Amino acid sequence: MLRNKEFRWLLLTMSTISLLAIIVTAFISSGAMGITAVTSVLLIGCCLLFTRWRYREIEKLSGYLRQISSGNYSLDVRDNQEGELSILKNDIYKVTLMLSEQRLLLQEDKIKLTNAISDISHQLKTPLTSMTVMADLLSDPELNVEKRMEFTRKISLQLDRIGWLVSSLLKFSKIDAGTIQFKKDSIKVKRLVQKSMEPILIPMDIKEQRIQIEGEDATSFIGDYNWTTEAMINILKNCVEHTPAGGVITISFAENTLFTEIVITDNGKGIPKAEIPYIFKRFYKGTNANEDSIGIGLALAQSIITEQNGTIDVMSEVGKGTQFQIKFYKQVI
């Protein structure tokens, strides 16, 4: 204890006061001096014992902190009694829990990062291998013009696929990192639908598919126009891909006091019931998916919608079609 400066000052102060009291009482009587001396010794002794106990408690807490800093988060130092030491113990316990939760989150982030890198590597491996093979074939000087043009076109398609994949993964990473600030504008659903349809009009025309739109012009919701368009395009692309030639895609929308709902329905192949829980999972490819499908469009759509206080549900029946129900709530749920 004597190594502590504040304790040495306390001991010196108590000793000085006691000595002065003994000297003063010596002028009164020897009995008073004796009582004062004994009382002073007892008080100083009690103070020393109490101070020693407090230092030991602080030393224990210091030991706890050293263990926590070394990664041992299993310590429980909670104390339900009154006093500053108990408050300090409870605060240390709260910090321990917080550090433990942060460590778990970091571990989860590491696992997600590892899985993402593994998925990206797997998705890039196939087109890169394909392009390498076709590049070797193109180097053959005796290759005829038709084959050369075919391989060039396939390489171009693979490059487009890689570009789309990288772009989508970049959007995912921004959403996951929370670096995207979604705007909160009033969006007219009819305008959103028309904008979302632009990239799919040519594929629909090729497959001679029809589209029906039903809804009031005034229907709107609060959200980010560009990002919601991105989500809608991915859902509509999925519908076009899984709807046969001559099929019909219906988009209906409505608004009530709780939410704005957009329903997209196709009469395509449908999704097997066992696969429905997984269709929004990244890189998931169902049994009816095209060979070129990466399995990322619906996952990206779901992330965008849920980040804007929305939900997306799917109902499907094999052979009859699929229905996506999107809801943007007016209040936080």
Side-chain angles (χ1 to χ4, degrees), residues 205-217:
D205 187 49
I206 293 172
K207 298 181 76 173
E208 297 181 344
Q209 294 173 341
R210 292 183 297 115
I211 191 160
Q212 296 176 347
I213 301 174
E214 303 168 359
E216 298 290 334
D217 292 351

Side-chain angles (χ1 to χ4, degrees), residues 157-330:
L157 290 175
Q158 295 294 352
L159 286 173
D160 288 342
R161 184 184 180 190
I162 291 174
W164 183 82
L165 174 62
V166 172
S167 173
S168 298
L169 292 173
L170 182 60
K171 293 170 185 173
F172 260 130
S173 64
K174 287 181 177 178
I175 293 173
D176 290 345
T179 56
I180 293 178
Q181 295 295 323
F182 288 96
K183 295 179 181 177
K184 295 183 178 179
D185 299 327
S186 178
I187 300 174
K188 297 292 184 185
V189 178
K190 189 172 184 179
R191 178 170 169 254
L192 173 73
V193 170
Q194 290 172 342
K195 180 69 176 177
S196 304
M197 285 172 50
E198 291 178 1
I200 64 165
L201 288 177
I202 294 177
M204 288 188 70
D205 187 49
I206 293 172
K207 298 181 76 173
E208 297 181 344
Q209 294 173 341
R210 292 183 297 115
I211 191 160
Q212 296 176 347
I213 301 174
E214 303 168 359
E216 298 290 334
D217 292 351
T219 304
S220 64
F221 68 95
I222 302 299
D224 189 296
Y225 180 74
N226 291 326
W227 279 104
T228 311
T229 301
E230 173 83 25
M232 289 283 290
I233 290 172
N234 282 296
I235 296 170
L236 289 171
K237 278 183 177 177
N238 184 275
C239 293
V240 172
E241 289 174 0
H242 292 87
T243 300
V248 179
I249 296 173
T250 303
I251 304 174
S252 61
F253 45 87
E255 180 180 5
N256 58 37
T257 55
L258 295 178
F259 54 79
T260 297
E261 182 181 48
I262 304 171
V263 180
I264 304 172
T265 308
D266 66 53
N267 60 349
K269 303 174 186 175
I271 305 169
K273 189 176 180 180
E275 295 183 4
I276 290 178
Y278 306 104
I279 64 168
F280 294 116
K281 187 178 179 182
R282 295 177 195 184
F283 304 111
Y284 179 78
K285 294 172 66 175
T287 53
N288 292 331
N290 295 330
E291 290 183 0
D292 294 335
S293 173
I294 298 174
I296 201 171
L298 291 180
L300 181 59
Q302 187 196 39
S303 294
I304 293 170
I305 292 169
T306 54
E307 287 292 327
Q308 298 184 90
N309 191 33
T311 61
I312 178 169
D313 297 302
V314 61
M315 293 183 292
S316 186
E317 189 172 347
V318 175
K320 292 188 176 180
T322 303
Q323 184 180 83
F324 293 92
Q325 291 182 325
I326 304 166
K327 292 180 181 176
F328 292 100
Y329 288 88
K330 298 179 186 295

Side-chain angles (χ1 to χ4, degrees), residues 99-145:
L99 292 173
S100 178
E101 291 173 358
Q102 288 180 346
R103 186 184 65 167
L104 291 175
L105 290 175
L106 286 174
Q107 288 177 340
E108 290 177 2
D109 287 344
K110 286 181 180 178
I111 293 172
K112 287 181 180 177
L113 180 61
T114 302
N115 292 336
I117 292 173
S118 175
D119 289 336
I120 293 168
S121 301
H122 179 72
Q123 296 298 329
L124 290 176
K125 186 178 178 181
T126 302
L128 287 174
T129 303
S130 176
M131 285 193 296
T132 302
V133 172
M134 286 186 282
D136 289 339
L137 293 173
L138 282 172
S139 64
D140 184 358
E142 296 182 359
L143 188 69
N144 60 54
V145 176

